[in-house]
Amino acid sequence: MLSEATGKQNYGSQKRRLAMNTSQTRLVEELQELSLGLLDSNTLILKQINGSMLCQFLSHGLVNYTVMVTSQLLATTLWQLSSLGIIDGSDFVVFKNVFSKFCLHVKARQLYAELGVQQPNLDLELQNLLAA
């Protein structure tokens, strides 16, 4: 009986770890896709579609790269950075230059959420990141 209960606990633990690994993997893959879009672009347009965020990278007015962001955390953070779903001009240049710090910020938020730890004021840290 004890081994059966332990087996159920282990299965539940493995299932939780798999879900975490899946969300972590998805977040990292989406951040990597976004970094590719930043290479030859000068504007980012964000569109919310059925709980996901469509990110269209523009160069000279034409869409040259598209990324579908399914991570709710990443989508929310991107939307907070934009002005009504648009990141362009000097804001785009700053975002492009601090993208590695942005990635670290988003990964830290994900980690805090998974650990269930009280998060510091990360919105203020995000604003400071872009002001630096």
Side-chain angles (χ1 to χ4, degrees):
M1 194 69 168
L2 181 60
S3 64
E4 184 178 317
T6 305
K8 286 181 182 180
Q9 274 184 330
N10 288 341
Y11 177 72
S13 175
Q14 289 172 345
K15 194 173 178 182
R16 226 176 301 116
R17 264 187 269 134
L18 181 60
M20 280 188 206
N21 288 340
T22 303
S23 65
Q24 290 170 351
T25 303
R26 186 178 73 226
L27 177 65
V28 170
E29 288 172 352
E30 290 175 356
L31 287 169
Q32 188 173 13
E33 288 290 317
L34 288 171
S35 70
L36 294 174
L38 289 170
L39 294 176
D40 295 321
S41 305
N42 54 19
T43 303
L44 174 58
I45 305 291
L46 307 171
K47 295 179 184 176
Q48 295 177 339
I49 300 174
N50 298 329
S52 297
M53 180 81 64
L54 178 65
C55 302
Q56 295 178 315
F57 290 90
L58 282 70
S59 180
H60 306 293
L62 299 173
V63 175
N64 66 351
Y65 199 79
T66 303
V67 177
M68 182 61 80
V69 172
T70 58
S71 166
Q72 190 62 41
L73 172 66
L74 182 55
T76 302
T77 308
L78 283 168
W79 190 260
Q80 289 172 347
L81 291 175
S82 72
S83 297
L84 300 174
I86 301 171
I87 302 174
D88 65 345
S90 61
D91 290 338
F92 186 83
V93 172
V94 169
F95 179 63
K96 190 174 184 176
N97 289 334
V98 299
F99 187 73
S100 61
K101 291 179 184 177
F102 171 80
C103 291
L104 184 60
H105 172 82
V106 172
K107 289 175 187 177
R109 279 183 133 180
Q110 172 94 10
L111 182 60
Y112 279 122
E114 287 175 2
L115 294 174
V117 176
Q118 178 67 32
Q119 297 182 16
N121 189 350
L122 294 175
D123 292 331
L124 180 60
E125 289 180 22
L126 181 60
Q127 291 169 358
N128 290 340
L129 172 74
L130 295 177

